[in-house]
Amino acid sequence: MNKFGLLCSALLLAGNLMTFGQGAKNIVISEVLTNNTASIQDEFGEREAWIELENASFTTYNIRGMYLTTDRSVLDKTMSVPERIKRMSLIPNGDVRTNVGGYQHIVFFCNSSPAKGKLHLSLKVPMSEPVWIALYNGNAVDLIDSVTVPALAADQSYALSKGRWAVKAKENVTPGMENFINTNETKVAKLKREDPHGFGITILAMGIVFSCLAILFVFFSLFGILMRHMETARKVANQQPIKPVTKTVEIAAEIGHKTGVIMQDGLKTKGIDKEVYIAVIGMALKQYEDDVHDVESGVITIKSKSSSWNEEFLQMTQFHQ
């Protein structure tokens, strides 16, 4: 029974080691930038050389404990493990970002200090010289991936895309995302690369639709308010004709005119223009010359008339005698 248990444990351990080793083989160096003057900055606002690793499988793998190096002396298979480790930079533990998902990327800053963060390595990467970069497994013996990066100009990168390495111009550098090399990339191809699942275009389309609906809602709301006010004004105009309003305006204008005359000529004129006085006097003189005037007898005659009220008066006054 004990032998059977030991056998199962050995098989399980061997299977885990094989799985672990197979997962490590899926981690590849995907992009390198050695002379950083305008590319990404670290948490402290500094620009440093960086190396991008990619998980080229569908499964998640934690790369903590793996090593990066630029020292070719580690290719000596007779070198002891402690000597190898001295010539390598350890990818530290304690950061969830080292748990790289399927086809995801992670960027490490070089020529830095691990004290600045888990993604900062003391790995020495020269600026304008060719450099060999290698990725080793956690045992510091198994070589996982390596690449020789040519001398690069400022902000150029050396990137792997579809199994082919090429120098990329600074406008095409893609730290932390899928690489592309074709500078004549169409807009459709760029959209597919940057938004492979279509979430961005979906949100954009829904935003446009809802924005249009909001604009239509505001427009028709204001249009409805305007129409209601016009209808109310029409009803008021039908109930209160324009003529009284016009008359009021005329009276107000007349009062204003008289006030202006009083202010100019004083209170004696009572707001009447001198021209009006002259016209009235001239008309009176004209009527006098033409002997035009009213002719009245000057006698008012009131004749009595009997009515049924006289009988009522007699009946009512007899009780007071």
Side-chain angles (χ1 to χ4, degrees):
M1 187 68 180
N2 291 335
K3 292 182 179 180
F4 179 75
L6 291 173
L7 179 61
C8 291
S9 299
L11 291 174
L12 182 61
L13 179 61
N16 288 335
L17 290 175
M18 291 177 62
T19 303
F20 182 81
Q22 186 63 29
K25 290 292 184 182
N26 293 322
I27 306 301
V28 297
I29 302 170
S30 58
E31 190 169 8
V32 179
L33 188 143
T34 58
N35 188 358
N36 186 358
T37 62
S39 185
I40 58 173
Q41 300 176 341
D42 62 12
E43 305 92 316
F44 302 92
E46 298 178 357
R47 301 184 190 276
E48 300 162 324
W50 50 263
I51 298 174
E52 178 191 78
L53 302 182
E54 178 185 1
N55 182 358
S57 69
F58 290 101
T59 58
T60 300
Y61 184 78
N62 200 323
I63 61 174
R64 66 176 184 267
M66 299 180 74
Y67 294 92
L68 281 167
T69 183
T70 56
D71 192 338
R72 283 182 175 271
S73 64
V74 297
L75 293 173
D76 184 2
K77 296 186 179 298
T78 63
M79 183 179 293
S80 64
V81 172
E83 287 296 324
R84 289 174 175 274
I85 293 176
K86 290 180 182 179
R87 293 167 168 78
M88 297 179 178
S89 292
L90 175 68
I91 297 176
N93 192 5
D95 195 312
V96 296
R97 289 173 291 182
T98 60
N99 200 36
V100 185
Y103 291 97
Q104 298 299 309
H105 305 75
I106 184 171
V107 175
F108 290 95
F109 294 100
C110 306
N111 302 326
S112 186
S113 171
K116 295 175 65 175
K118 301 294 184 180
L119 302 185
H120 289 261
L121 305 177
S122 58
L123 183 67
K124 301 301 180 184
V125 176
M127 267 192 179
S128 302
E129 301 176 9
V131 59
W132 176 77
I133 300 175
L135 175 67
Y136 274 82
N137 205 345
N139 58 13
V141 175
D142 296 332
L143 178 62
I144 303 301
D145 192 23
S146 66
V147 61
T148 299
V149 181
L152 299 173
D155 301 313
Q156 286 184 339
S157 73
Y158 197 54
L160 176 66
S161 178
K162 298 180 180 179
R164 183 168 60 94
W165 284 93
V167 176
K168 294 170 58 176
K170 62 180 181 180
E171 61 269 15
N172 297 326
V173 174
T174 55
M177 64 180 66
E178 183 181 357
N179 298 330
F180 72 98
I181 295 177
N182 185 10
T183 56
N184 297 322
E185 186 180 32
T186 64
K187 292 183 178 180
V188 176
K190 183 178 180 180
L191 181 62
K192 288 181 179 179
R193 176 177 56 80
E194 295 181 349
D195 187 22
H197 302 290
F199 295 127
I201 193 67
T202 301
I203 295 173
L204 178 62
M206 293 178 65
I208 293 173
V209 171
F210 283 112
S211 299
C212 293
L213 290 175
I215 293 172
L216 289 175
F217 173 77
V218 172
F219 171 76
F220 283 112
S221 297
L222 296 176
F223 184 75
I225 294 172
L226 177 62
M227 294 303 295
R228 285 196 294 271
H229 282 290
M230 291 181 65
E231 184 65 24
T232 303
R234 190 179 297 109
K235 290 180 180 179
V236 171
N238 292 333
Q239 293 176 359
Q240 300 179 0
I242 303 300
K243 186 175 180 180
V245 178
T246 306
K247 187 66 176 178
T248 302
V249 173
E250 292 176 354
I251 294 173
E254 182 180 355
I255 293 173
H257 176 71
K258 289 184 178 182
T259 303
V261 173
I262 291 173
M263 292 179 67
Q264 291 179 0
D265 300 333
L267 295 174
K268 293 181 179 181
T269 61
K270 297 182 180 180
I272 302 175
D273 291 336
K274 295 179 181 179
E275 291 80 2
V276 175
Y277 279 113
I278 295 172
V280 171
I281 294 171
M283 184 178 294
L285 292 173
K286 176 65 175 175
Q287 290 181 350
Y288 177 76
E289 291 177 355
D290 296 342
D291 195 21
V292 177
H293 58 276
D294 294 336
V295 179
E296 297 179 355
S297 62
V299 178
I300 300 176
T301 303
I302 300 176
K303 296 180 180 181
S304 62
K305 183 179 180 181
S306 179
S307 67
S308 59
W309 285 101
N310 294 332
E311 298 176 359
E312 296 291 336
F313 172 75
L314 295 174
Q315 292 178 358
M316 296 296 294
T317 55
Q318 66 180 346
F319 298 103
H320 299 280
Q321 293 177 356

